[in-house]
Each structure stands twice: as structure tokens, then as C-alpha cells.
Amino acid sequence: MEPSPRRGLPDAALRTALETSAVPMYLMATPEHGLTVEWVNDAFVAHAGVARVDLLGRRVSVLRGLIDDLPDLEALRTALRGDRSFAVTVRDAPTAGAAGWVQLSFSPIRGDDGAMTHWFCVLNALPERPEETESLSSLEMSRRRMARLDLMTQVSGLLTDLDHPHVLREIADVLGRAAGCRIFFYMDDKGLAYTESVDVNTPPSSRLVRGPQTRPVPLVAGTEQTWAPDVVQAVLDGEDAGPVDVSLDARYPPRSASAVLVRDLRARLETDGVTARGIVVHPVPGRRRVLGLLVVVLEPGREFTPSLTPGTTLRAVSRRAGMLIDTARLYAREHRVAETLQRAMLPEQADVHGLDVWTYYAPNSDHAQVGGDWYDVLQLTEHDVGLVVGDVVGHDVEAAATMGQMRSVVRSYAFEMTAPGAVLERVDELVAGMRLPRASSLVYARLEARDEPVAEPVAARHAAPEGVEAPPATSTRTWRLSYSRAGHLPPVLVRGDRSVLLDGAGGSLIGYGSTPRATDELELQSGDVLVFYTDGLIERRDRDLREGLAVLGEELAGMGPSDAAGIGEQLLARVGSTPEDDIAVVVVRVPGVGDDERLQDGGPRSRRWLLPNEPSSIARARHVVVRTCTAWGVPGAAAVELVASELVANAVMHGWGHVALRLFDTADGLRIEVEDANPSPPVATDGHINRGGGFGMQIVERLADWGWRPTRVGKVVWAKVHPAGAGRLTPAGGTPRAQV
């Protein structure tokens, strides 16, 4: 490089001497002239191990890779703005020759007019660093390393909460403040896009749906237009491990990843009034592909802090973020598979004649886990009902699969044998041979109905008019309970204002029974309530199971509702409001004579039912809604019954998966919600030509306000029936109101 006369560089003889000196030296411009490297001697090139052409004309920051750690940058900048000689001691990086301590001596060079034009730097190797200086430098290095560790701790803490709606933006803000630049995250899920949060429902890195920006764009024939290489796509495809520089002025192919990134960044920076001098892109790698980009925007006059130079902390952050995001997506996919498997295996509850039955299941939502809790309600014969509640150890797909196998085994023997103890013995034998990987507990109960004739009172017979035959004798249905337990918590019997644990007929876990299983029996009375449950209902970290059982018994003894759904809802509100594990509950109530006229409710004014997607669910929905309206003393039950029937019928006819029916008393009316897995919204029509049906939503419109909202797996259709019931008279043919 030729010397510049304007800046007063050394003459030719002096320059030759400096070029051939064995001491490494270099010359750099002052901050006013950009701090660029303008001359290096042969010894410095040999010491750096970098070609001369890669050094000359570059900013002095290019030399940072030669140093393991720098002193305080602010103090160094202050010294370079001055005009006096100074020296700093640094440690060579392992890649810069032999590692050791080096003293950098800076001397000002002035022009003919006396103005300072350059800094002249000489590198002096120190065979042994002075003890006092080394102690101070080590202290400074420790301070910076602690600052780097603190930054990584902050970022790691944020990465543990990937469900936060702005987690990536917060990480970018933390890194940007520490690095002295602006940082953005772009995810390549269905096209490259700026992202502030993590969508865990996106497929993990084993699958990729390319966005429109990756489509090749052919050049127009006959034109001389050329495009800059799509360096961003090379990073996304894993062809370039990065980091890479992206020019804001280059012309990239339309719709290419580089063009999409530059266009979006320009818009964001213009909005913030920021000028960028460069863009550096780091990949955010997953297990099998690059998930996105960590984009660093360099601003004029601002430099990286030494602990966050490219290739160190930023690379570590992007790699850790990618692995955690990929792990979260893999876990979410496993959870969805397990939940789908588990819900598919949960029973489609039979409409049990003569009993009021309510069932409930929910995985532990706090930890988004899927477990092996399950229940089953079987109409074995016209007069016999089987009830099962079980718990398989674990919260994963294997636990759900084991639960499905257990359910099938118990079902097969329940229809074949009558005594619960004998059923569990056969289950033991089969499970031992199947070698199921998970232990399981369960309680199996059988309720047998008996119809006993009851003669009319003598007075009633004498009151019959002469010549008229007396009314025939009537009958009453009684129930007998028999049950057996395999390592499971005891059911609870509620009779009047007392509750009793049915802790008889106990035994070991399924598959471990080496002795005959016992069976206990009990005569049930009108109004008796049986509660079967898993440990998630009562288990808490701050109390043992014995205390939980005592709390359960106390709450059940003071229950106000007189229908199974009301008892179940109040039980969940009082005992299971903060579950720490999966919950499965079955509530069975033996109705009494005249119950429909005497039902009283003192519990939460909400009910929920999970119905199979089959026509019989429509009739069951009508029955439970009428029973609930009677319990709540709500007028206009006929309108509520009709609306619920139409909504459930639509879900059965046009949806798929189980149908969830919920009923709420909102003080100014009854709100009905029906959920299914079909995301398509309901539509009110004028009926179907040449065939019946198609008028369901017209009926709903005339009786209620209604709308719908999407869910993660489908939709919820809601309707609100006011106390006047059919008195609302909304004109037919209106549009539904979507509620998000």
C-alpha cells in the first residue's frame, strides 16, 4: 500500500527498515479516519497468520480474532481518542501463533501540520507477565466472564418459558442491550417471517413445509439482470454454517429468503428510524434442520462488546434456542398423539337405565401431560352395569397405550363373568402373560338391578268405585353393589349427610396378584351416591393421601346437588380445582321415587358431559338438559332442550370425534356450548330441497342468541336461551356471531 503524503507517512528508507523488522508492527488511522489498518510489516503478517490483503483497509476490529480477551473497551476507546502514547497488555488467542502475553504499545504519528493522523502499534511478547499486572488483568477477565455467564443465565431462564407470547422478543432485547446492537428472530416454519413467540404446534425439524420465498425464480430471457447469491437460503438449507453477512444494497432474487429478510428488516428499521451499516445472520439449528435465524443489525458508531463477538455467545444462544424449540415441538407432537390416542380409548358411555351417571376426565393441564387414568361404564345386561376406574403409571404415549390394553382386557372379562374378584383374577393372568411395561391399579364394580313388586295400600284398593278393578300392583327397582380393588383408592358411598370409604376387597396392583381376589357386596338405597376416582383428584404436594381422603369424605358429606352431574361439578370445584395429576371421576346416583319433582341444587351452576359421536347422544343430551333445568328450577326447559338437541344433532351429523356438551346458568339465561372436532363453522340454511332436515340452526336462531368460536382442535358452537325461552323471536336467516 502506497503511503499517503497528506498524512505524512515515513519515507522509503524508514519504511524498508520497518518492513524487515522482526518485531510485529502495524499502522492504523485515527478514529476520525475510521480506525482502518493501513500498513502492516512482514513480522505482523507472520504473527497473525492472516494474509496481508485481508488486513489492509479493514477496520481494526478485524484484529480481535487474534486476541483471547480484550481489556475494557471503553478505556481503550478513550485512549485512542487522545493524542498520547499508551500501552495495554493482552493474551494471544490460541490460533495466533504461540499463546502468551503481549504488550501493545501505541504511539501517535503527526503530519507536517502537527495534527495527529495515525496510531503506530508495536507488539512486544512478554516472556513472563509482571505479577501485579497479571492479577489485575485476571480480575478483569473474570469480571467479563461472569458478565457473560450472567447473560447466558438470563437467556436460559427466558428459554425455559417458551409458552410466553413474546419470549423471542425478550431474548432479543436482552442480547441487544448487552451486545450494543439490534437483534431479531426469524423462524422458517411456513416461510421466513419475523417472530416474537414460539409456535410449538409447528412440526419439529424432521419435517419442513417450504414457504413461497424458496421457489426458484427464472430470469427473464434476453435480459442482463443478475442476482446476488441467496446467502440466507444457504444458511437455512444448512449449506453455510454461518454467520454470514447480508448486504442491504444487493439485489436478491424476488421471493428469495435473502430478499424477504432484507425487505422486512428495511421496513422495521425505517419505522424505528434506525440506519444499519450491516447485517449478520446466525442460524438457529434444530436437530435435523435449521429452524430459523438470529439476525444482528449493526448500527453506525456502535461496536460489539468483546464477550459477544460473532462465533461466541450469539452462536451459543442460537444453538441453545434451536434445540429447546425443537424439543418443545417434539414434546407437543408426542402430547397430541398421546392425547388423541387416550381420548379415542376413553369409553363412549352407555345410557344406563335406572341410574344417574356422570363421568369426567382431564389430563394435567399445568404440565401438558397425558397419562394413563381412565374409566369405563358398561351396560352388561338389561339389569347389570359395570363401572371401572383405573390408573396406569406414567404420562406418555406408552402409558396411554397400556391404558387401552387394560380397558380391552377388563371389558372382555366383565361381559363373561359376574363376580368382580373373579374378573380381576382373570385380568391378572392375562396381564402377566402380556408383560405390559407399566404397572396399573383399578377398581371394578358391578351394579345389579332387581325389580320387586310393591302392593298398593289397602285404603287405595277400598277407594276404587264399585265395578272398577283396583290398580295393579307396581314394582320398585333396587340396586346391589359388588366391587373389588387392585391397588386402587377406595370408592366413596354417600348416604344422606354421611360418607363412607368402601375400603374392602383390597389387593395388589394388576398383574401382581398371587392370591384370590376378594369381592365385597352392599345393598344400595334410593338417593345413594357412589364416587369412583383416581388419585389426581385428592393428591397434593402439601398433604398425604390420608388427608386427601378425609377432605374428600367431608366435602361429599355436605354436598348440596341431588343429581350426579351437579355432585361431580361441585366435587371438582371444591376438591379438584388445582390438580397436580390426571383426573378421572365417575359419579353414580341411585334415583329415588319422585326425584324429578324434588330435585334441589346447591352446587355450581354449570354442567359438562362427554358424548359419543352417535345418534343416541342426541336423546341423552335432551335428557340431561331437562334434568339439569329441573334441578336448577329454571323455567322454559322445553326451549333449552330443543336448542341443545339441535346443536348436538349438528355435531353428530357434521362433526367428528367426541361431542362435549356444557351448560351454564349465567343469571340472565342459560348458555349451551357444544364442541366437536370439525373446524368448519355452522351455517343457517333454508332447508334441503327434496329431503328432510337443514332447519336446525333456524330453530336455534328463533329460540336463542348463538355464535361459534374456533378451538385448537375444532370449534365450539354456543347458544344463549333467555328466561323467556321462545319469546326472543329472532328472525330466521340471520348470521351467526363468531366469538373468539
Side-chain angles (χ1 to χ4, degrees):
M1 181 176 179
E2 293 299 327
S4 173
R6 181 181 64 82
R7 298 182 184 175
L9 294 179
D11 57 24
L14 180 57
R15 177 168 181 171
T16 300
L18 295 175
E19 287 278 8
T20 58
S21 172
V23 179
M25 307 174 189
Y26 67 90
L27 194 69
M28 68 177 181
T30 59
E32 292 78 9
H33 296 94
L35 281 177
T36 55
V37 178
E38 299 202 355
W39 172 84
V40 295
N41 69 352
D42 294 339
F44 185 86
V45 172
H47 175 83
V50 181
R52 190 187 303 267
V53 68
D54 293 329
L55 296 174
L56 297 180
R58 302 284 298 275
R59 289 178 60 86
V60 72
S61 57
V62 72
L63 304 178
R64 289 184 182 171
L66 310 178
I67 300 172
D68 181 63
D69 217 340
L70 286 176
D72 185 2
L73 274 188
E74 193 57 40
L76 182 59
R77 292 192 185 99
T78 302
L80 289 174
R81 294 190 192 101
D83 58 357
R84 296 183 180 182
S85 300
F86 67 95
V88 294
T89 302
V90 298
R91 183 175 177 84
D92 272 349
T95 57
W101 295 104
V102 176
Q103 185 181 58
L104 304 178
S105 300
F106 292 87
S107 301
I109 295 182
R110 305 179 187 279
D112 296 336
D113 57 358
M116 183 176 161
T117 60
H118 292 80
W119 282 104
F120 183 65
C121 181
V122 178
L123 278 69
N124 296 309
L126 300 178
E128 192 171 311
R129 184 164 186 159
E131 182 178 350
E132 183 178 350
T133 306
E134 182 176 356
S135 177
L136 292 174
S137 179
S138 298
L139 182 63
E140 178 64 18
M141 291 172 62
S142 297
R143 183 188 67 80
R144 289 199 297 273
R145 286 169 180 164
M146 289 299 295
R148 186 186 308 175
L149 180 60
D150 179 66
L151 178 63
M152 289 299 297
T153 301
Q154 292 184 56
V155 172
S156 298
L158 292 172
L159 284 171
T160 58
D161 188 16
L162 290 178
D163 291 335
H164 191 279
H166 304 294
V167 58
L168 295 182
R169 187 184 69 185
E170 291 185 0
I171 293 173
D173 291 343
V174 169
L175 289 174
R177 287 193 296 269
C181 60
R182 288 176 180 263
I183 293 179
F184 301 91
F185 279 95
Y186 283 75
M187 298 305 293
D188 188 29
D189 295 334
K190 293 183 179 179
L192 191 64
Y194 167 75
T195 310
E196 294 185 351
S197 59
V198 176
D199 182 6
V200 296
N201 293 317
T202 297
S205 61
S206 58
R207 292 178 54 198
L208 174 62
V209 180
R210 282 298 187 196
Q213 81 274 2
T214 62
R215 299 172 186 166
V217 182
L219 298 180
V220 180
T223 66
E224 298 181 357
Q225 177 68 62
T226 58
W227 308 112
D230 190 358
V231 293
V232 173
Q233 191 63 56
V235 173
L236 293 174
D237 291 339
E239 299 171 0
D240 192 327
V244 299
D245 294 327
V246 179
S247 173
L248 287 171
D249 301 321
R251 294 179 59 84
Y252 296 105
R255 299 195 303 275
S256 67
S258 297
V260 169
L261 177 64
V262 169
R263 182 170 59 250
D264 189 81
L265 278 176
R266 282 185 179 278
R268 294 184 182 281
L269 296 177
E270 288 177 6
T271 301
D272 296 340
V274 175
T275 302
R277 62 178 176 84
I279 299 174
V280 180
V281 172
H282 292 257
V284 178
R287 285 174 172 79
R288 299 180 182 176
R289 73 170 179 89
V290 175
L291 304 181
L293 305 172
L294 186 153
V295 181
V296 180
V297 177
L298 306 176
E299 300 178 51
R302 301 183 68 181
E303 296 287 343
F304 273 117
T305 57
S307 61
L308 289 174
T309 51
T312 55
T313 306
L314 292 183
R315 177 174 293 180
V317 168
S318 61
R319 183 178 295 121
R320 178 166 174 78
M323 295 303 292
L324 289 177
I325 291 172
D326 216 14
T327 299
R329 289 176 173 178
L330 283 168
Y331 182 81
R333 183 179 68 174
E334 180 179 338
H335 171 70
R336 289 194 298 271
V337 171
E339 185 177 23
T340 301
L341 176 64
Q342 187 172 38
R343 289 205 176 274
M345 292 178 177
L346 285 176
E348 299 181 352
Q349 179 187 323
D351 187 11
V352 179
H353 301 290
L355 290 175
D356 183 13
V357 181
W358 180 85
T359 57
Y360 176 80
Y361 167 78
N364 181 7
S365 58
D366 288 344
H367 299 89
Q369 292 178 329
V370 172
D373 290 20
W374 59 287
Y375 68 86
D376 209 346
V377 180
L378 311 172
Q379 186 78 56
L380 301 173
T381 68
E382 182 181 356
H383 299 285
D384 297 334
V385 177
L387 301 172
V388 191
V389 171
D391 187 357
V392 177
V393 175
H395 301 85
D396 51 22
V397 175
E398 190 174 63
T402 302
M403 176 271 292
Q405 292 175 291
M406 287 295 305
R407 173 175 174 253
S408 299
V409 171
V410 174
R411 274 197 162 209
S412 62
Y413 289 132
F415 281 95
E416 178 184 338
M417 312 178 74
T418 56
V423 171
L424 295 191
E425 287 178 19
R426 294 295 301 275
V427 173
D428 278 332
E429 296 174 4
L430 186 58
V431 167
M434 293 172 64
R435 299 184 182 276
L436 294 180
R438 301 295 178 88
S440 176
S441 69
L442 64 85
V443 54
Y444 172 62
R446 187 182 182 98
L447 283 82
E448 302 177 25
R450 291 177 296 184
D451 294 328
E452 299 178 353
V454 176
E456 289 294 317
V458 176
R461 289 181 177 273
H462 289 173
E466 185 177 353
V468 178
E469 185 179 356
T474 60
S475 65
T476 182
R477 172 166 289 188
T478 61
W479 293 88
R480 183 176 184 82
L481 169 70
S482 58
Y483 68 94
S484 183
R485 297 185 300 120
H488 201 81
L489 294 171
V492 181
L493 169 67
V494 183
R495 179 171 292 172
D497 57 356
R498 295 176 58 249
S499 64
V500 179
L501 291 176
L502 303 181
D503 55 2
S508 56
L509 296 172
I510 287 294
Y512 297 91
S514 58
T515 58
R517 298 278 186 177
T519 299
D520 266 16
E521 297 184 348
L522 178 70
E523 293 289 340
L524 299 178
Q525 301 177 5
S526 297
D528 281 355
V529 175
L530 293 170
V531 179
F532 301 81
Y533 55 95
T534 56
D535 56 4
L537 180 67
I538 61 173
E539 190 175 36
R540 300 292 181 271
R541 292 186 180 91
D542 58 349
R543 71 185 184 203
D544 58 27
L545 283 177
R546 189 179 300 275
E547 294 179 64
L549 287 171
V551 171
L552 176 64
E554 292 174 3
E555 294 295 343
L556 285 172
M559 283 291 174
S562 53
D563 64 322
I567 293 171
E569 293 290 349
Q570 186 164 329
L571 184 63
L572 292 177
R574 294 185 179 182
V575 181
S577 58
T578 57
E580 298 175 2
D581 200 354
D582 310 330
I583 296 179
V585 180
V586 177
V587 179
V588 181
R589 183 177 183 276
V590 180
V593 179
D595 257 0
D596 290 340
E597 290 76 27
R598 297 185 292 104
L599 284 174
Q600 299 295 324
D601 183 75
R605 310 283 277 193
S606 63
R607 298 286 189 271
R608 78 194 87 176
W609 299 269
L610 187 65
L611 309 173
N613 196 311
E614 59 185 31
S616 63
S617 293
I618 302 172
R620 184 172 173 225
R622 298 171 71 104
H623 172 74
V624 297
V625 167
V626 170
R627 186 175 183 85
T628 302
C629 288
T630 304
W632 289 349
V634 176
V640 180
E641 176 189 8
L642 187 54
V643 170
S645 174
E646 293 298 338
L647 295 183
V648 172
N650 273 350
V652 169
M653 294 175 61
H654 306 294
W656 52 81
H658 283 74
V659 178
L661 169 63
R662 291 182 287 270
L663 194 63
F664 305 90
D665 184 357
T666 63
D668 61 342
L670 287 180
R671 180 183 175 93
I672 307 163
E673 292 187 355
V674 176
E675 180 178 4
D676 67 84
N678 184 353
S680 300
V683 178
T685 68
D686 294 329
H688 301 303
I689 300 176
N690 299 327
R691 61 188 178 94
F695 299 97
M697 296 314 297
Q698 288 192 26
I699 295 173
V700 173
E701 280 194 344
R702 290 191 177 276
L703 299 178
D705 295 315
W706 73 281
W708 71 282
R709 67 175 184 271
T711 65
R712 184 172 61 86
V713 295
K715 69 175 180 301
V716 169
V717 183
W718 60 267
K720 188 170 184 179
V721 182
H722 296 275
R728 198 183 64 84
L729 293 179
T730 299
T735 55
R737 289 146 300 275
Q739 175 178 336
V740 180

